[in-house]
């Protein structure tokens, strides 16, 4: 039986006690519309600023990957990762919400 991915739009992998969320579709064009590349660094910028506003405690539980061509988040706390997935799922597939989120949080 195939199970639904509760970590959508991310894929979850685990090795030992470290869990990794990977986002394969970076929605490049949505970022490009706001003069960003849409690479892993831009996603980390959006996520860091969003978490600073919405739940700064989560930032203490995660690390961002340093890959440019993909975006990933690592943590020993699987529940923290699930919470982040729910935040991203709320805007990820809705282009106007995605662009509004990028506009709001993609700031240096």
């Amino acid at each position: 039986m195939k199970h639904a991915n509760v970590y959508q739009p991310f894929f979850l992998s685990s090795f030992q006690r470290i869990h990794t969320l990977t986002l394969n579709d970076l929605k490049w064009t949505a970022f490009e519309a706001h003069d960003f590349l849409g690479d892993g660094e831009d996603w980390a910028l959006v996520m860091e600023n969003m978490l600073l506003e919405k739940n700064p405690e989560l930032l203490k539980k995660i690390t961002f990957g340093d890959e440019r061509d993909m975006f990933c988040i690592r943590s020993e706390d699987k529940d923290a990762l699930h919470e982040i997935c729910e935040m991203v799922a709320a805007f990820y597939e809705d282009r106007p919400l995605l662009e509004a989120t990028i506009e709001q949080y993609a700031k240096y």
Side-chain angles (χ1 to χ4, degrees), residues 72-92:
C72 66
I73 304 169
R74 294 181 182 90
S75 180
E76 290 184 10
D77 187 338
K78 206 171 183 180
D79 292 333
L81 294 177
H82 189 259
E83 190 171 338
I84 290 169
C85 290
E86 289 177 343
M87 286 182 197
V88 173
F91 65 81
Y92 184 79

Side-chain angles (χ1 to χ4, degrees), residues 23 25-32 35-43 68-71 102:
L23 188 61
D25 180 1
L26 298 180
K27 305 286 186 176
W28 303 93
T29 58
F31 277 88
E32 289 169 354
D35 296 323
F36 286 92
L37 294 174
D39 60 8
E41 291 177 0
D42 290 340
W43 270 98
R68 290 187 55 88
D69 294 334
M70 62 182 243
F71 174 66
I102 292 167

Side-chain angles (χ1 to χ4, degrees), residues 45-90:
L45 179 66
V46 168
M47 294 303 301
E48 182 176 10
N49 288 330
M50 183 173 68
L51 292 173
L52 278 171
E53 179 182 305
K54 295 182 182 261
N55 191 340
E57 290 299 311
L58 285 177
L59 283 171
K60 297 175 186 174
K61 298 178 180 182
I62 65 170
T63 58
F64 295 109
D66 57 3
E67 298 83 2
R68 290 187 55 88
D69 294 334
M70 62 182 243
F71 174 66
C72 66
I73 304 169
R74 294 181 182 90
S75 180
E76 290 184 10
D77 187 338
K78 206 171 183 180
D79 292 333
L81 294 177
H82 189 259
E83 190 171 338
I84 290 169
C85 290
E86 289 177 343
M87 286 182 197
V88 173

